[in-house]
Structure formats: C-alpha cells, structure tokens
Amino acid sequence: MTVLQSFRTALRIVTDTPVLVAFALAFGVITALNNASGSAGAVGSILQLFALPALTGAFYTVIDGARPGSDTDLRASTAAQRYYVSLLGATLLAGLVVLVVAMVVLGGLIGSLGFDRVTAVLNGSASLTLVELAAAGVAFAVFAAVVYVFTFFDTAVVLDGKTAAGSLSRSVDFVFGNLRQVVGYAVVATVATSVVDLPVLWFVTLDGATTVAGAVAAFQAPMSAVDIAVVAVGSTVTTLVGRSYKVCFYRACADDPRGSKPESADGEWTA
C-alpha cells in the first residue's frame, strides 16, 4: 500500500500546490542546459553543481510541507540555506561513488568483450551480438542497482537532517530496511517518468538513432534551441512528479515504525 498510496499523495500535492511547478521548471531548465554543448552546457554544468543543492533543499521542503497532515513549517528560503552545504557535499560524494561504480562495471564489460570489439561497435563498423547485448544489459542492471542504493541521500539530508557522509549511509540503511517497498517504488517511479523521458531521449537527445554509433554521434551533436526547450519541458514534468513521489514515499516509510528495521523488507508493497 505504501508505494501506490505515496504515488497518489504525490499527484494530489502536485495538483494542489502550483508553486511546485516553478521549482520543477528551474530543475528542467538546468537539466536541459547541462545536456547542451558549448557555453550553454558549461552554464548548465555549473548550475547543476552549485545551484541544485539550494533548489533541492527548498523544493523538498515545500513538497514535505504540502503533504496531508504535515507539521513542517520551515520556509523554502531557510531550507535552501540550511541544507546547502550538506547537499553539495553529498552530491559530490554520490557522484564519486557513481564514478567508481561506473569505472568498475565498464571496465568489467570492456574486459569481457575486448577493447577492440567495443571500439568497433562504437564507431559503427560492428554490431553487438545477442550475447554481447545481454552482457551489456547485465552490466547496466548491476550499475543501476548499486547506484540506486544511494539514491535517497538528498531526502536523508532534507527530511532527516543528515550530514553529507551520513546521508549516504542513511540511504543504504533505508533501501535495505525497506527493500520490497523500494523495489515497488523503483518500478512505479521508472514507469511514471519513462512516459515522458523515453520519447524525449529517443527523438530529441538521440535523434531517433537505431545503432550504437548513431546514438553516440547524436548525443555528441550540438542541441538546437528547440531541442533544449523540449528537454526542459520534459524534465520539468518528470521532476515535478518524480521528486514529489520520492519525498512522499520516503516520508511514508520513515514514519512507519518498521521503516528503519531490516525485517520491514518483508512487508507488502502491492495494493
């Protein structure tokens, strides 16, 4: 019940709290600029690193305060300042973790396929076999699973007041303490955001590429102003729904007396 009830609560909050659209739009614009090239991409990268922590603290606080029965009365501007350092530090630490995991997984994949083979696939002179495609899929699944363990670091900072290092540890405890619910949350969140994310990724970012080489070339090509705008709108929608859901889900599990205990992983998450 927690998974679906939290999603319904998030949708209710989104429709009843119009100010959230402004926060989500800011996220969307920064994300779009970060995906662009040249000076726009540089600006987006800077904002992604230094502006998002303040925006996240304010955004999550407003979402939390809009939940039914919430007793949160912290102002968004105060939250942006209070959690900034911890969120910035946690973002850097989480980025380092992702980088290390990516290097290990990618290194293992290249080692199994062979560097020359990977190079041939990327430059378009060869195609992946079914076995190689399956190996790449397994590698991606492992990477995603490991990274997902740390995905709740930002909610741990804002909703639990954790420090940068403590937020990553709290995220790990939260995931394994609510494992079945988190799996359900991941499925619902992925499906809900993919409705918008996948078409934008396919038709805009990857320009409808049907080969690995084509996808790499499209990803490296400069984005037009129209493409940036489309990515910004898409990211705004997924941010609005996805992050609202994340806060509601985290609160629901954390408020559950069983939420921090490993045995809560045996609880039901289906409705």
Side-chain angles (χ1 to χ4, degrees), residues 58-235:
F59 190 29
Y60 283 11
T61 298
V62 175
I63 296 171
D64 191 35
R67 291 182 307 107
S70 173
D71 57 358
T72 301
D73 57 1
L74 188 64
R75 292 171 59 89
S77 57
T78 302
Q81 299 174 49
R82 175 177 297 181
Y83 303 120
Y84 181 81
V85 173
S86 292
L87 281 171
L88 177 59
T91 299
L92 293 173
L93 285 175
L96 180 60
V97 170
V98 171
L99 179 62
V100 171
V101 173
M103 290 176 62
V104 172
V105 173
L106 184 60
L109 181 62
I110 293 176
S112 63
L113 299 181
F115 182 79
D116 291 340
R117 178 64 177 164
V118 172
T119 302
V121 171
L122 292 179
N123 64 29
S125 60
S127 300
L128 289 173
T129 65
L130 289 178
V131 173
E132 291 170 339
L133 189 60
V138 170
F140 175 78
V142 171
F143 171 75
V146 174
V147 170
Y148 213 87
V149 171
F150 301 97
T151 195
F152 293 99
F153 76 88
D154 50 0
T155 47
V157 171
V158 179
L159 305 182
D160 288 340
K162 296 295 184 180
T163 61
S167 67
L168 268 66
S169 174
R170 168 57 180 158
S171 180
V172 174
D173 291 341
F174 177 82
V175 169
F176 285 104
N178 302 276
L179 188 57
R180 186 169 296 182
Q181 291 93 329
V182 169
V183 171
Y185 162 82
V187 171
V188 174
T190 300
V191 171
T193 56
S194 292
V195 172
V196 176
D197 279 341
L198 289 183
V200 172
L201 175 65
W202 182 260
F203 292 108
V204 178
T205 307
L206 300 182
D207 197 26
T210 57
T211 64
V212 175
V216 172
F219 188 78
Q220 294 175 339
M223 293 176 63
S224 67
V226 174
D227 288 344
I228 293 175
V230 171
V231 172
V233 172
S235 182

Side-chain angles (χ1 to χ4, degrees), residues 94 135 269:
W269 57 264

Side-chain angles (χ1 to χ4, degrees), residues 8-77:
R8 287 191 288 265
T9 300
L11 293 181
R12 189 181 311 123
I13 289 174
V14 166
T15 56
D16 293 345
T17 317
V19 70
L20 293 178
V21 177
F23 287 100
L25 180 59
F27 271 96
V29 171
I30 292 174
T31 299
L33 290 175
N34 189 52
N35 288 336
S37 57
S39 58
V43 171
S45 297
I46 293 173
L47 292 175
Q48 183 92 11
L49 179 60
F50 295 108
L52 278 192
L55 188 59
T56 299
F59 190 29
Y60 283 11
T61 298
V62 175
I63 296 171
D64 191 35
R67 291 182 307 107
S70 173
D71 57 358
T72 301
D73 57 1
L74 188 64
R75 292 171 59 89
S77 57

